[in-house]
Amino acid sequence: MSDEQLRRRQFIEGLRAVAKFYEENPGASYDGMHLTLNMYVWGRTARKALIETARLFGHCNKIYDENNITVSRQFSEQVTVAVFAARARVCRRVILGSRILPERILPATSEVRIPASRVEIVEWQCDPLLKDDQPSP
């Protein structure tokens, strides 16, 4: 058995052990517990991993925020699995232009001068993970 297969088996056995604990201990508290299994994917395979996760999950949530893209599936009211990756690994950062922030002085006990600076105007272009998806905002 490879290391990968062994790690996968141990992960599944751990999940089953938690379920077995609750099956065998009806008095064990669970109300109010929300279990989210988070997995962060990185590197060149991040987009591929999210695509495969979304395909395997079937109906799932896809959230695009400023930093990450998350694909998640809620298996029950209290159990969710979420896989996320840095947006920069999945989407293209397109520089639309730049603008100059003017010099300004911050009022304080002593004068602090912040020089003018150039900031990029960017847009993230994220292709749909699956064919049926709509492009992200």
Side-chain angles (χ1 to χ4, degrees):
M1 178 180 297
S2 72
D3 287 345
E4 170 109 9
Q5 291 169 322
L6 180 61
R7 282 194 321 272
R8 184 174 190 275
R9 174 182 276 178
Q10 290 171 339
F11 172 73
I12 293 168
E13 287 173 357
L15 293 173
R16 286 195 178 115
V18 170
K20 183 178 179 189
F21 169 81
Y22 279 99
E23 286 174 340
E24 293 176 352
N25 296 284
S29 179
Y30 68 91
D31 196 28
M33 180 187 300
H34 295 274
L35 178 64
T36 301
L37 300 173
N38 290 306
M39 182 175 83
Y40 182 73
V41 292
W42 60 90
R44 294 181 187 175
T45 62
R47 180 174 173 77
K48 182 180 175 185
L50 288 182
I51 289 169
E52 184 64 13
T53 299
R55 188 184 68 73
L56 291 170
F57 278 174
H59 178 72
C60 60
N61 296 314
K62 297 173 204 87
I63 299 169
Y64 297 77
D65 66 29
E66 287 299 313
N67 301 309
N68 296 306
I69 296 178
T70 305
V71 174
S72 65
R73 178 174 172 196
Q74 190 169 356
F75 286 85
S76 73
E77 187 177 323
Q78 294 172 280
V79 179
T80 301
V81 174
V83 179
F84 61 101
R87 188 173 193 159
R89 285 291 181 190
V90 180
C91 303
R92 289 180 311 282
R93 184 177 183 261
V94 178
I95 299 173
L96 302 176
S98 63
R99 64 187 174 106
I100 302 294
L101 294 178
E103 177 181 41
R104 57 197 186 278
I105 296 173
L106 298 178
T109 54
S110 62
E111 202 172 82
V112 175
R113 183 175 301 275
I114 299 175
S117 62
R118 180 178 302 275
V119 294
E120 293 175 337
I121 301 168
V122 300
E123 172 183 272
W124 288 98
Q125 295 179 353
C126 301
D127 297 328
L129 292 174
L130 300 175
K131 290 178 187 176
D132 299 344
D133 290 346
Q134 297 299 316
S136 75

